Amino acid sequence: MDAYKREFIEFMVESNVLKFGDFTLKSGRKSPFFMNAGAYTTGSQLKRLGEYYAKAIHNTYGDDFDVLFGPAYKGIPLAVVTAIAYSELYGKEVRYCCDRKEEKDHGADKGSFLGSKLQDGDRVIMIEDVTTSGKSMEETVPKVKGAADVTIVGLMVSLNRMEVGKGGEKCALDEVKDLYGFETAAIVDMAEVTEALYNKECLGKVLIDDTLKAAIDAYYDMYGVK
């Protein structure tokens, strides 16, 4: 496992973003783990988060892209901090763009988007926190494709939960790839999280012991990709 992946897992735990216990997800599924990217709230946390996204994008997709697109709302700060990190880490200026939930009909920046305007020929990286069902892409991809003649290079999320999406056979990231034809990736997936934390100390305690590992295994027996 790459060092930045292991560091990112510890960072999620340290930031109280990745939790273990008993959680009911929006889908109604009972899960032994939960991730909430909204818990990144401080300047230092957001700086580090952007750096992890930038490293993962650089390692996965390279640097041949022009725009980071973050779907509203959680994708907005992700696109901003990752654009800053890309400039600092790799000396590459990339633009950020985000959509609005409601179109603004006045002012110099009226329209459906924040940040840079999408232009014909742009190569775009989509950036999200976590994709469980792929629903946000249903709303976002048509907006991006309709704004200009762009190429979507890929999607980067922070955590791949590795559970079946709406189709019931593939994980949500694979469903997005098959549906829209662009690559999908995550900084880490739950198999890597489990590998890094199972019966190992993180911040002074063991987060995934035998009991929790059994609960995670049972969850994937029910909801994991077969």
Short mmCIF file of all heavy atoms in Angstrom, two decimals, residues 80-145:
data_model
loop_
_atom_site.label_atom_id
_atom_site.label_comp_id
_atom_site.label_asym_id
_atom_site.label_seq_id
_atom_site.Cartn_x
_atom_site.Cartn_y
_atom_site.Cartn_z
N VAL A 80 -11.87 23.11 -4.66
CA VAL A 80 -11.05 24.28 -4.35
C VAL A 80 -9.73 23.87 -3.71
O VAL A 80 -8.65 24.27 -4.15
CB VAL A 80 -11.82 25.26 -3.45
CG1 VAL A 80 -10.91 26.38 -2.96
CG2 VAL A 80 -13.02 25.85 -4.18
N VAL A 81 -9.81 23.04 -2.64
CA VAL A 81 -8.58 22.70 -1.93
C VAL A 81 -7.67 21.81 -2.77
O VAL A 81 -6.44 21.88 -2.64
CB VAL A 81 -8.87 22.04 -0.56
CG1 VAL A 81 -9.62 23.01 0.35
CG2 VAL A 81 -9.63 20.73 -0.70
N THR A 82 -8.24 21.00 -3.64
CA THR A 82 -7.41 20.15 -4.50
C THR A 82 -6.72 20.97 -5.57
O THR A 82 -5.56 20.70 -5.92
CB THR A 82 -8.24 19.01 -5.12
OG1 THR A 82 -8.91 18.29 -4.07
CG2 THR A 82 -7.37 18.05 -5.91
N ALA A 83 -7.39 21.98 -6.10
CA ALA A 83 -6.76 22.87 -7.08
C ALA A 83 -5.57 23.59 -6.45
O ALA A 83 -4.51 23.74 -7.08
CB ALA A 83 -7.78 23.87 -7.62
N ILE A 84 -5.73 24.05 -5.21
CA ILE A 84 -4.63 24.70 -4.49
C ILE A 84 -3.47 23.73 -4.29
O ILE A 84 -2.31 24.05 -4.54
CB ILE A 84 -5.12 25.25 -3.14
CG1 ILE A 84 -6.14 26.36 -3.33
CG2 ILE A 84 -3.94 25.76 -2.30
CD1 ILE A 84 -6.86 26.78 -2.06
N ALA A 85 -3.80 22.52 -3.85
CA ALA A 85 -2.77 21.51 -3.60
C ALA A 85 -2.03 21.15 -4.87
O ALA A 85 -0.80 20.93 -4.85
CB ALA A 85 -3.39 20.26 -2.96
N TYR A 86 -2.75 21.06 -6.00
CA TYR A 86 -2.10 20.70 -7.26
C TYR A 86 -1.06 21.75 -7.65
O TYR A 86 0.03 21.42 -8.12
CB TYR A 86 -3.14 20.55 -8.38
CG TYR A 86 -2.96 19.25 -9.11
CD1 TYR A 86 -3.68 18.12 -8.73
CD2 TYR A 86 -2.05 19.12 -10.15
CE1 TYR A 86 -3.49 16.91 -9.36
CE2 TYR A 86 -1.86 17.91 -10.80
CZ TYR A 86 -2.58 16.81 -10.39
OH TYR A 86 -2.37 15.61 -11.02
N SER A 87 -1.40 23.01 -7.42
CA SER A 87 -0.46 24.08 -7.72
C SER A 87 0.78 23.97 -6.84
O SER A 87 1.92 24.11 -7.31
CB SER A 87 -1.13 25.44 -7.50
OG SER A 87 -0.21 26.50 -7.66
N GLU A 88 0.58 23.68 -5.56
CA GLU A 88 1.70 23.62 -4.62
C GLU A 88 2.56 22.37 -4.80
O GLU A 88 3.79 22.44 -4.72
CB GLU A 88 1.17 23.69 -3.18
CG GLU A 88 0.54 25.04 -2.83
CD GLU A 88 0.10 25.10 -1.38
OE1 GLU A 88 -0.02 24.05 -0.74
OE2 GLU A 88 -0.15 26.23 -0.91
N LEU A 89 1.92 21.22 -5.05
CA LEU A 89 2.66 19.96 -5.13
C LEU A 89 3.31 19.73 -6.49
O LEU A 89 4.41 19.19 -6.59
CB LEU A 89 1.75 18.78 -4.80
CG LEU A 89 1.25 18.66 -3.36
CD1 LEU A 89 0.28 17.48 -3.25
CD2 LEU A 89 2.41 18.47 -2.40
N TYR A 90 2.61 20.12 -7.56
CA TYR A 90 3.06 19.75 -8.91
C TYR A 90 3.30 20.96 -9.81
O TYR A 90 3.66 20.78 -10.98
CB TYR A 90 2.03 18.80 -9.54
CG TYR A 90 1.80 17.58 -8.69
CD1 TYR A 90 0.57 17.37 -8.06
CD2 TYR A 90 2.81 16.66 -8.47
CE1 TYR A 90 0.37 16.27 -7.24
CE2 TYR A 90 2.62 15.55 -7.66
CZ TYR A 90 1.40 15.36 -7.05
OH TYR A 90 1.20 14.27 -6.24
N GLY A 91 3.10 22.17 -9.29
CA GLY A 91 3.35 23.36 -10.09
C GLY A 91 2.43 23.49 -11.28
O GLY A 91 2.76 24.16 -12.26
N LYS A 92 1.27 22.87 -11.22
CA LYS A 92 0.32 22.92 -12.33
C LYS A 92 -0.92 23.71 -11.93
O LYS A 92 -1.52 23.43 -10.89
CB LYS A 92 -0.10 21.50 -12.75
CG LYS A 92 -1.13 21.47 -13.88
CD LYS A 92 -1.48 20.05 -14.27
CE LYS A 92 -2.64 20.01 -15.28
NZ LYS A 92 -2.28 20.63 -16.57
N GLU A 93 -1.26 24.70 -12.74
CA GLU A 93 -2.46 25.48 -12.49
C GLU A 93 -3.66 24.78 -13.13
O GLU A 93 -3.70 24.61 -14.35
CB GLU A 93 -2.32 26.89 -13.06
CG GLU A 93 -1.27 27.74 -12.37
CD GLU A 93 -1.70 28.20 -10.98
OE1 GLU A 93 -2.71 27.71 -10.46
OE2 GLU A 93 -0.99 29.05 -10.43
N VAL A 94 -4.59 24.34 -12.31
CA VAL A 94 -5.84 23.80 -12.83
C VAL A 94 -6.99 24.67 -12.32
O VAL A 94 -6.91 25.24 -11.24
CB VAL A 94 -6.05 22.32 -12.40
CG1 VAL A 94 -4.99 21.44 -13.02
CG2 VAL A 94 -6.05 22.17 -10.89
N ARG A 95 -8.01 24.77 -13.13
CA ARG A 95 -9.18 25.58 -12.74
C ARG A 95 -10.16 24.72 -11.95
O ARG A 95 -10.13 23.50 -12.04
CB ARG A 95 -9.86 26.12 -14.00
CG ARG A 95 -9.01 27.15 -14.72
CD ARG A 95 -9.11 27.08 -16.23
NE ARG A 95 -10.45 26.88 -16.73
CZ ARG A 95 -10.74 26.18 -17.83
NH1 ARG A 95 -9.77 25.58 -18.50
NH2 ARG A 95 -11.98 26.05 -18.23
N TYR A 96 -10.99 25.38 -11.16
CA TYR A 96 -12.04 24.64 -10.48
C TYR A 96 -13.39 25.12 -10.99
O TYR A 96 -13.55 26.28 -11.39
CB TYR A 96 -11.95 24.79 -8.95
CG TYR A 96 -12.75 25.94 -8.39
CD1 TYR A 96 -14.07 25.76 -7.97
CD2 TYR A 96 -12.20 27.22 -8.31
CE1 TYR A 96 -14.82 26.82 -7.48
CE2 TYR A 96 -12.93 28.27 -7.81
CZ TYR A 96 -14.24 28.07 -7.40
OH TYR A 96 -14.97 29.13 -6.92
N CYS A 97 -14.35 24.23 -11.00
CA CYS A 97 -15.71 24.56 -11.39
C CYS A 97 -16.67 23.72 -10.55
O CYS A 97 -16.36 22.57 -10.22
CB CYS A 97 -15.92 24.28 -12.88
SG CYS A 97 -17.59 24.69 -13.49
N CYS A 98 -17.79 24.31 -10.18
CA CYS A 98 -18.82 23.61 -9.41
C CYS A 98 -20.19 24.02 -9.94
O CYS A 98 -20.34 25.10 -10.52
CB CYS A 98 -18.73 23.95 -7.93
SG CYS A 98 -17.10 23.67 -7.21
N ASP A 99 -21.17 23.17 -9.74
CA ASP A 99 -22.52 23.54 -10.15
C ASP A 99 -23.28 24.17 -9.00
O ASP A 99 -22.89 24.05 -7.83
CB ASP A 99 -23.28 22.32 -10.70
CG ASP A 99 -23.45 21.22 -9.67
OD1 ASP A 99 -22.60 21.12 -8.76
OD2 ASP A 99 -24.43 20.46 -9.76
N ARG A 100 -24.33 24.86 -9.33
CA ARG A 100 -25.24 25.43 -8.33
C ARG A 100 -26.48 24.55 -8.27
O ARG A 100 -26.93 24.02 -9.28
CB ARG A 100 -25.67 26.84 -8.72
CG ARG A 100 -24.57 27.87 -8.90
CD ARG A 100 -25.21 29.19 -9.31
NE ARG A 100 -24.25 30.17 -9.77
CZ ARG A 100 -23.65 31.08 -9.00
NH1 ARG A 100 -23.92 31.12 -7.72
NH2 ARG A 100 -22.81 31.95 -9.52
N LYS A 101 -27.04 24.43 -7.08
CA LYS A 101 -28.31 23.71 -6.95
C LYS A 101 -29.43 24.50 -7.63
O LYS A 101 -30.37 23.92 -8.17
CB LYS A 101 -28.64 23.49 -5.47
CG LYS A 101 -27.73 22.47 -4.79
CD LYS A 101 -27.96 21.07 -5.29
CE LYS A 101 -27.20 20.04 -4.46
NZ LYS A 101 -27.39 18.67 -4.96
N GLU A 102 -29.33 25.83 -7.55
CA GLU A 102 -30.32 26.69 -8.20
C GLU A 102 -29.59 27.71 -9.05
O GLU A 102 -28.61 28.32 -8.60
CB GLU A 102 -31.20 27.40 -7.16
CG GLU A 102 -32.04 26.45 -6.31
CD GLU A 102 -32.85 27.19 -5.27
OE1 GLU A 102 -32.72 28.43 -5.18
OE2 GLU A 102 -33.61 26.53 -4.55
N GLU A 103 -30.04 27.92 -10.28
CA GLU A 103 -29.37 28.84 -11.18
C GLU A 103 -29.49 30.28 -10.70
O GLU A 103 -30.54 30.72 -10.23
CB GLU A 103 -29.96 28.71 -12.59
CG GLU A 103 -29.23 29.55 -13.62
CD GLU A 103 -29.58 29.15 -15.04
OE1 GLU A 103 -30.07 28.01 -15.23
OE2 GLU A 103 -29.35 29.96 -15.95
N LYS A 104 -28.39 31.01 -10.79
CA LYS A 104 -28.38 32.43 -10.41
C LYS A 104 -28.70 33.26 -11.66
O LYS A 104 -28.05 33.10 -12.69
CB LYS A 104 -27.00 32.81 -9.85
CG LYS A 104 -26.91 34.24 -9.34
CD LYS A 104 -25.52 34.53 -8.79
CE LYS A 104 -25.42 35.97 -8.31
NZ LYS A 104 -24.05 36.30 -7.85
N ASP A 105 -29.70 34.15 -11.56
CA ASP A 105 -30.16 34.87 -12.74
C ASP A 105 -29.77 36.34 -12.75
O ASP A 105 -30.35 37.15 -13.47
CB ASP A 105 -31.68 34.73 -12.89
CG ASP A 105 -32.43 35.30 -11.69
OD1 ASP A 105 -31.78 35.85 -10.77
OD2 ASP A 105 -33.68 35.21 -11.68
N HIS A 106 -28.77 36.73 -11.92
CA HIS A 106 -28.36 38.12 -11.89
C HIS A 106 -26.86 38.21 -11.58
O HIS A 106 -26.25 37.24 -11.14
CB HIS A 106 -29.14 38.89 -10.82
CG HIS A 106 -28.92 38.39 -9.43
ND1 HIS A 106 -29.55 37.26 -8.94
CD2 HIS A 106 -28.11 38.83 -8.43
CE1 HIS A 106 -29.15 37.03 -7.70
NE2 HIS A 106 -28.26 37.96 -7.37
N GLY A 107 -26.28 39.37 -11.81
CA GLY A 107 -24.87 39.58 -11.49
C GLY A 107 -23.94 39.10 -12.58
O GLY A 107 -24.35 38.44 -13.55
N ALA A 108 -22.65 39.41 -12.40
CA ALA A 108 -21.65 39.05 -13.41
C ALA A 108 -21.41 37.55 -13.49
O ALA A 108 -20.95 37.04 -14.50
CB ALA A 108 -20.33 39.76 -13.09
N ASP A 109 -21.72 36.82 -12.39
CA ASP A 109 -21.47 35.37 -12.38
C ASP A 109 -22.76 34.57 -12.44
O ASP A 109 -22.84 33.46 -11.92
CB ASP A 109 -20.67 34.98 -11.13
CG ASP A 109 -21.42 35.27 -9.83
OD1 ASP A 109 -22.37 36.09 -9.87
OD2 ASP A 109 -21.07 34.70 -8.79
N LYS A 110 -23.77 35.12 -13.10
CA LYS A 110 -25.04 34.40 -13.17
C LYS A 110 -24.89 33.12 -13.99
O LYS A 110 -23.97 32.98 -14.80
CB LYS A 110 -26.13 35.29 -13.76
CG LYS A 110 -25.94 35.68 -15.22
CD LYS A 110 -27.08 36.58 -15.66
CE LYS A 110 -26.91 36.99 -17.13
NZ LYS A 110 -28.01 37.89 -17.56
N GLY A 111 -25.79 32.18 -13.76
CA GLY A 111 -25.74 30.92 -14.48
C GLY A 111 -25.79 29.74 -13.54
O GLY A 111 -26.14 29.86 -12.36
N SER A 112 -25.40 28.56 -14.05
CA SER A 112 -25.54 27.31 -13.31
C SER A 112 -24.26 26.87 -12.63
O SER A 112 -24.25 25.84 -11.95
CB SER A 112 -26.00 26.20 -14.27
OG SER A 112 -27.23 26.54 -14.87
N PHE A 113 -23.17 27.64 -12.80
CA PHE A 113 -21.88 27.18 -12.31
C PHE A 113 -21.17 28.25 -11.48
O PHE A 113 -21.38 29.44 -11.65
CB PHE A 113 -20.98 26.78 -13.48
CG PHE A 113 -21.52 25.64 -14.29
CD1 PHE A 113 -22.20 25.89 -15.48
CD2 PHE A 113 -21.39 24.33 -13.87
CE1 PHE A 113 -22.71 24.84 -16.22
CE2 PHE A 113 -21.89 23.28 -14.61
CZ PHE A 113 -22.56 23.54 -15.79
N LEU A 114 -20.29 27.77 -10.59
CA LEU A 114 -19.36 28.62 -9.84
C LEU A 114 -17.96 28.39 -10.37
O LEU A 114 -17.66 27.32 -10.89
CB LEU A 114 -19.37 28.25 -8.35
CG LEU A 114 -20.61 28.55 -7.52
CD1 LEU A 114 -20.52 27.80 -6.20
CD2 LEU A 114 -20.73 30.04 -7.27
N GLY A 115 -17.08 29.37 -10.18
CA GLY A 115 -15.69 29.18 -10.57
C GLY A 115 -15.50 29.38 -12.06
O GLY A 115 -16.18 30.19 -12.70
N SER A 116 -14.57 28.62 -12.63
CA SER A 116 -14.24 28.76 -14.04
C SER A 116 -15.37 28.24 -14.93
O SER A 116 -16.04 27.26 -14.61
CB SER A 116 -12.97 27.97 -14.34
OG SER A 116 -12.73 27.91 -15.72
N LYS A 117 -15.56 28.89 -16.06
CA LYS A 117 -16.51 28.39 -17.04
C LYS A 117 -15.88 27.20 -17.77
O LYS A 117 -14.69 27.19 -18.04
CB LYS A 117 -16.88 29.48 -18.04
CG LYS A 117 -17.77 30.57 -17.48
CD LYS A 117 -18.22 31.52 -18.57
CE LYS A 117 -19.18 32.56 -17.99
NZ LYS A 117 -19.63 33.52 -19.05
N LEU A 118 -16.70 26.22 -18.07
CA LEU A 118 -16.24 25.09 -18.87
C LEU A 118 -16.13 25.51 -20.32
O LEU A 118 -17.00 26.22 -20.84
CB LEU A 118 -17.19 23.91 -18.72
CG LEU A 118 -17.26 23.30 -17.31
CD1 LEU A 118 -18.39 22.28 -17.22
CD2 LEU A 118 -15.94 22.65 -16.94
N GLN A 119 -15.05 25.09 -20.98
CA GLN A 119 -14.78 25.50 -22.35
C GLN A 119 -14.62 24.28 -23.24
O GLN A 119 -14.19 23.22 -22.79
CB GLN A 119 -13.49 26.34 -22.40
CG GLN A 119 -13.51 27.56 -21.49
CD GLN A 119 -12.14 28.19 -21.31
OE1 GLN A 119 -11.18 27.80 -21.98
NE2 GLN A 119 -12.03 29.13 -20.39
N ASP A 120 -14.94 24.45 -24.53
CA ASP A 120 -14.74 23.36 -25.48
C ASP A 120 -13.29 22.89 -25.43
O ASP A 120 -12.36 23.70 -25.40
CB ASP A 120 -15.07 23.84 -26.90
CG ASP A 120 -16.55 24.05 -27.13
OD1 ASP A 120 -17.35 23.67 -26.25
OD2 ASP A 120 -16.91 24.60 -28.20
N GLY A 121 -13.11 21.59 -25.37
CA GLY A 121 -11.76 21.02 -25.33
C GLY A 121 -11.23 20.76 -23.94
O GLY A 121 -10.18 20.12 -23.79
N ASP A 122 -11.92 21.26 -22.91
CA ASP A 122 -11.46 21.03 -21.54
C ASP A 122 -11.45 19.55 -21.21
O ASP A 122 -12.36 18.80 -21.60
CB ASP A 122 -12.37 21.75 -20.54
CG ASP A 122 -12.01 23.21 -20.34
OD1 ASP A 122 -10.89 23.60 -20.72
OD2 ASP A 122 -12.84 23.96 -19.81
N ARG A 123 -10.43 19.15 -20.46
CA ARG A 123 -10.37 17.80 -19.90
C ARG A 123 -10.67 17.94 -18.41
O ARG A 123 -10.00 18.71 -17.70
CB ARG A 123 -9.00 17.17 -20.15
CG ARG A 123 -8.77 16.88 -21.63
CD ARG A 123 -7.35 16.42 -21.92
NE ARG A 123 -6.98 15.21 -21.21
CZ ARG A 123 -7.34 13.98 -21.56
NH1 ARG A 123 -8.11 13.78 -22.63
NH2 ARG A 123 -6.95 12.93 -20.87
N VAL A 124 -11.67 17.21 -17.94
CA VAL A 124 -12.25 17.44 -16.62
C VAL A 124 -12.06 16.22 -15.72
O VAL A 124 -12.29 15.08 -16.15
CB VAL A 124 -13.76 17.76 -16.73
CG1 VAL A 124 -14.38 17.98 -15.35
CG2 VAL A 124 -13.99 18.98 -17.63
N ILE A 125 -11.64 16.47 -14.48
CA ILE A 125 -11.66 15.44 -13.43
C ILE A 125 -12.82 15.77 -12.49
O ILE A 125 -12.89 16.87 -11.95
CB ILE A 125 -10.35 15.42 -12.61
CG1 ILE A 125 -9.15 15.11 -13.49
CG2 ILE A 125 -10.46 14.42 -11.45
CD1 ILE A 125 -8.93 13.67 -13.81
N MET A 126 -13.72 14.81 -12.31
CA MET A 126 -14.81 14.96 -11.34
C MET A 126 -14.27 14.58 -9.96
O MET A 126 -13.47 13.64 -9.84
CB MET A 126 -15.99 14.06 -11.71
CG MET A 126 -16.43 14.15 -13.15
SD MET A 126 -17.28 15.68 -13.54
CE MET A 126 -18.91 15.30 -12.88
N ILE A 127 -14.73 15.27 -8.92
CA ILE A 127 -14.21 15.02 -7.58
C ILE A 127 -15.36 15.01 -6.58
O ILE A 127 -16.20 15.93 -6.56
CB ILE A 127 -13.12 16.06 -7.22
CG1 ILE A 127 -12.44 15.75 -5.91
CG2 ILE A 127 -13.67 17.47 -7.24
CD1 ILE A 127 -11.17 16.57 -5.70
N GLU A 128 -15.45 13.93 -5.79
CA GLU A 128 -16.53 13.77 -4.81
C GLU A 128 -15.98 13.21 -3.51
O GLU A 128 -14.83 12.77 -3.44
CB GLU A 128 -17.59 12.80 -5.36
CG GLU A 128 -18.68 13.45 -6.17
CD GLU A 128 -19.94 12.61 -6.13
OE1 GLU A 128 -19.86 11.39 -6.38
OE2 GLU A 128 -21.00 13.17 -5.83
N ASP A 129 -16.85 13.17 -2.48
CA ASP A 129 -16.41 12.60 -1.20
C ASP A 129 -16.52 11.08 -1.23
O ASP A 129 -15.53 10.37 -1.09
CB ASP A 129 -17.16 13.22 -0.02
CG ASP A 129 -18.67 13.06 -0.12
OD1 ASP A 129 -19.18 12.74 -1.21
OD2 ASP A 129 -19.36 13.28 0.90
N VAL A 130 -17.71 10.57 -1.40
CA VAL A 130 -17.90 9.13 -1.44
C VAL A 130 -19.08 8.83 -2.35
O VAL A 130 -20.05 9.59 -2.37
CB VAL A 130 -18.14 8.54 -0.02
CG1 VAL A 130 -19.38 9.12 0.61
CG2 VAL A 130 -18.19 7.02 -0.05
N THR A 131 -18.99 7.79 -3.15
CA THR A 131 -20.07 7.42 -4.05
C THR A 131 -20.64 6.09 -3.59
O THR A 131 -19.98 5.06 -3.67
CB THR A 131 -19.58 7.30 -5.50
OG1 THR A 131 -19.11 8.58 -5.93
CG2 THR A 131 -20.70 6.88 -6.43
N THR A 132 -21.88 6.14 -3.09
CA THR A 132 -22.54 4.92 -2.64
C THR A 132 -23.51 4.41 -3.70
O THR A 132 -23.58 3.23 -3.99
CB THR A 132 -23.30 5.16 -1.32
OG1 THR A 132 -22.37 5.62 -0.34
CG2 THR A 132 -23.94 3.88 -0.81
N SER A 133 -24.27 5.32 -4.32
CA SER A 133 -25.27 4.91 -5.30
C SER A 133 -25.01 5.44 -6.70
O SER A 133 -25.59 4.96 -7.66
CB SER A 133 -26.66 5.39 -4.85
OG SER A 133 -26.73 6.80 -4.92
N GLY A 134 -24.15 6.46 -6.83
CA GLY A 134 -23.92 7.05 -8.14
C GLY A 134 -24.98 8.07 -8.53
O GLY A 134 -24.95 8.60 -9.64
N LYS A 135 -25.91 8.36 -7.62
CA LYS A 135 -27.02 9.26 -7.95
C LYS A 135 -26.54 10.66 -8.32
O LYS A 135 -27.07 11.29 -9.23
CB LYS A 135 -28.01 9.33 -6.78
CG LYS A 135 -29.20 10.24 -7.05
CD LYS A 135 -30.25 10.15 -5.96
CE LYS A 135 -31.38 11.15 -6.16
NZ LYS A 135 -32.00 11.05 -7.50
N SER A 136 -25.52 11.16 -7.62
CA SER A 136 -25.06 12.53 -7.89
C SER A 136 -24.55 12.65 -9.32
O SER A 136 -24.68 13.70 -9.95
CB SER A 136 -23.97 12.94 -6.91
OG SER A 136 -22.84 12.12 -7.03
N MET A 137 -23.94 11.57 -9.86
CA MET A 137 -23.44 11.62 -11.23
C MET A 137 -24.58 11.72 -12.24
O MET A 137 -24.43 12.31 -13.31
CB MET A 137 -22.58 10.39 -11.54
CG MET A 137 -21.24 10.37 -10.83
SD MET A 137 -20.09 11.66 -11.35
CE MET A 137 -20.19 12.78 -9.95
N GLU A 138 -25.75 11.16 -11.89
CA GLU A 138 -26.90 11.26 -12.77
C GLU A 138 -27.28 12.72 -12.99
O GLU A 138 -27.72 13.10 -14.08
CB GLU A 138 -28.11 10.52 -12.17
CG GLU A 138 -27.98 9.01 -12.14
CD GLU A 138 -29.21 8.36 -11.52
OE1 GLU A 138 -30.22 9.07 -11.32
OE2 GLU A 138 -29.16 7.16 -11.24
N GLU A 139 -27.12 13.53 -11.95
CA GLU A 139 -27.47 14.94 -12.04
C GLU A 139 -26.33 15.76 -12.64
O GLU A 139 -26.57 16.72 -13.37
CB GLU A 139 -27.82 15.47 -10.65
CG GLU A 139 -28.96 14.72 -9.97
CD GLU A 139 -29.11 15.08 -8.50
OE1 GLU A 139 -28.29 15.88 -8.01
OE2 GLU A 139 -30.05 14.58 -7.87
N THR A 140 -25.10 15.39 -12.32
CA THR A 140 -23.95 16.23 -12.63
C THR A 140 -23.42 16.04 -14.04
O THR A 140 -23.11 17.01 -14.74
CB THR A 140 -22.81 15.97 -11.63
OG1 THR A 140 -23.30 16.15 -10.30
CG2 THR A 140 -21.66 16.93 -11.86
N VAL A 141 -23.28 14.80 -14.49
CA VAL A 141 -22.67 14.54 -15.80
C VAL A 141 -23.41 15.25 -16.93
O VAL A 141 -22.77 15.90 -17.78
CB VAL A 141 -22.55 13.03 -16.06
CG1 VAL A 141 -22.13 12.77 -17.51
CG2 VAL A 141 -21.53 12.41 -15.11
N PRO A 142 -24.75 15.20 -16.99
CA PRO A 142 -25.45 15.93 -18.06
C PRO A 142 -25.20 17.44 -18.01
O PRO A 142 -25.10 18.09 -19.06
CB PRO A 142 -26.93 15.61 -17.81
CG PRO A 142 -26.92 14.31 -17.08
CD PRO A 142 -25.71 14.38 -16.20
N LYS A 143 -25.08 18.01 -16.80
CA LYS A 143 -24.78 19.44 -16.68
C LYS A 143 -23.43 19.76 -17.29
O LYS A 143 -23.26 20.72 -18.03
CB LYS A 143 -24.78 19.86 -15.20
CG LYS A 143 -26.14 20.02 -14.57
CD LYS A 143 -25.95 20.57 -13.15
CE LYS A 143 -27.28 20.72 -12.43
NZ LYS A 143 -27.09 21.25 -11.06
N VAL A 144 -22.42 18.95 -16.93
CA VAL A 144 -21.07 19.20 -17.40
C VAL A 144 -20.98 19.02 -18.91
O VAL A 144 -20.42 19.85 -19.63
CB VAL A 144 -20.07 18.25 -16.68
CG1 VAL A 144 -18.68 18.35 -17.30
CG2 VAL A 144 -20.02 18.57 -15.19
N LYS A 145 -21.55 17.93 -19.41
CA LYS A 145 -21.51 17.65 -20.84
C LYS A 145 -22.32 18.69 -21.63
O LYS A 145 -21.99 18.99 -22.79
CB LYS A 145 -22.07 16.25 -21.11
CG LYS A 145 -21.18 15.11 -20.63
CD LYS A 145 -20.04 14.88 -21.60
CE LYS A 145 -19.35 13.55 -21.36
NZ LYS A 145 -18.25 13.31 -22.33
#
